[in-house]
Amino acid sequence: GAGVSQSPSNKVTEKGKDVELRCDPISGHTALYWYRQSLGQGLEFLIYFQGNSAPDKSGLPSDRFSAERTGGSVSTLTIQRTQQEDSAVYLCASSSRQRGAGEQYFGPGTRLTVT
Amino acid sequence: RKEVEQDPGPFNVPEGATVAFNCTYSNSASQSFFWYRQDCRKEPKLLMSVYSSGNEDGRFTAQLNRASQYISLLIRDSKLSDSATYLCVVKVLTGGGNKLTFGTGTQLKVEL
């Protein structure tokens, strides 16, 4: 079946512009996670959705970052007034609540470059 | 101190060798443990869960020592296709739900 998809796969933007990154989780997966991974670094947790609510936003690095999820499915991560340090691969993952958060299925990521 | 610590490597080993990776975690309330694999410029994928009694999946063996807060992964008879970064992952139940914390990974290169 279809896995997690993300768009765009690559995004180059100028400093100060806003960007939107999209994630389509696996159908029926109620939990959705956003992470980012900088070159040579580990995965940094950003935000977790259970359904449409976000019980854990603790990883969002600043108020320039926000995310929403609608219909318990698609999620959008928005970065306002992008900075060069925002350059990273943004990964989305989903999991089935019944299986817990142990097995998360990741999308291919969006590679964001801020020039 | 990082919540999950791993030796970044790289570990360069010949094909057929046995290699072991270690990982330590700082949160004693951690509930579950996993190893994920990440190929170059690809997304992470679950390799195996780690159980207290230790568990094996083919050439891969995982061990957990809760007292020492230590996790290991052993790969026997390594193949070229095992070359990847191995991520140690810890799950903690927080007020916001289950949360996975990823280590920065250990890079393995299997060579002819």
Side-chain angles (χ1 to χ4, degrees), chain A residues 14 23-24 36 50 57 59-60 65 74-75 81 88 91-92 108:
Chain A
E14 291 180 354
C23 172
D24 274 280
R36 74 176 175 182
Q50 184 60 44
K57 305 178 184 180
L60 294 177
F65 288 72
V74 172
S75 177
R81 304 181 303 282
L91 290 158
C92 173

Side-chain angles (χ1 to χ4, degrees), chain A residues 7-57:
Chain A
S7 60
S9 54
N10 280 285
K11 177 72 177 178
V12 180
T13 190
E14 291 180 354
K15 178 181 172 181
K17 301 281 190 182
D18 297 352
V19 295
E20 280 192 357
L21 313 180
R22 176 186 167 109
C23 172
D24 274 280
I26 292 173
S27 177
H29 279 192
T30 56
L32 186 148
Y33 308 80
W34 282 98
Y35 298 88
R36 74 176 175 182
Q37 188 171 33
S38 302
L39 188 63
Q41 302 297 309
L43 270 72
E44 176 187 3
F45 168 79
L46 298 178
I47 187 170
Y48 155 61
F49 286 93
Q50 184 60 44
N52 290 336
S53 63
D56 190 348
K57 305 178 184 180

Side-chain angles (χ1 to χ4, degrees), chain B:
Chain B
R1 182 185 174 189
K2 290 181 182 176
E3 290 186 57
V4 180
E5 296 210 50
Q6 297 182 250
D7 180 344
F11 284 59
N12 297 308
V13 303
E15 205 173 13
T18 295
V19 60
F21 306 137
N22 303 320
C23 166
T24 57
Y25 60 94
S26 61
N27 189 339
S28 59
S30 300
Q31 297 177 307
S32 305
F33 310 89
F34 310 90
W35 284 100
Y36 273 67
R37 169 189 170 135
Q38 186 172 23
D39 291 290
C40 187
R41 299 178 77 87
K42 297 285 190 182
E43 70 272 22
K45 293 184 180 179
L46 178 67
L47 177 65
M48 61 194 300
S49 301
V50 186
Y51 302 120
S52 297
S53 54
N55 50 296
E56 191 174 302
D57 182 1
R59 298 181 293 107
F60 298 82
T61 300
Q63 297 275 355
L64 167 65
N65 184 323
R66 284 189 183 270
S68 302
Q69 297 183 192
Y70 170 96
I71 306 158
S72 66
L73 176 68
L74 182 78
I75 305 175
R76 292 182 302 279
D77 188 25
S78 52
K79 313 289 185 191
L80 293 175
S81 57
D82 294 334
S83 298
T85 296
Y86 291 83
L87 307 174
C88 176
V89 184
V90 170
K91 183 173 87 170
V92 177
L93 179 60
T94 71
N98 290 313
K99 179 177 178 178
L100 293 187
T101 301
F102 288 76
T104 53
T106 298
Q107 188 178 11
L108 172 66
K109 296 181 180 179
V110 182
E111 302 163 331
L112 286 172

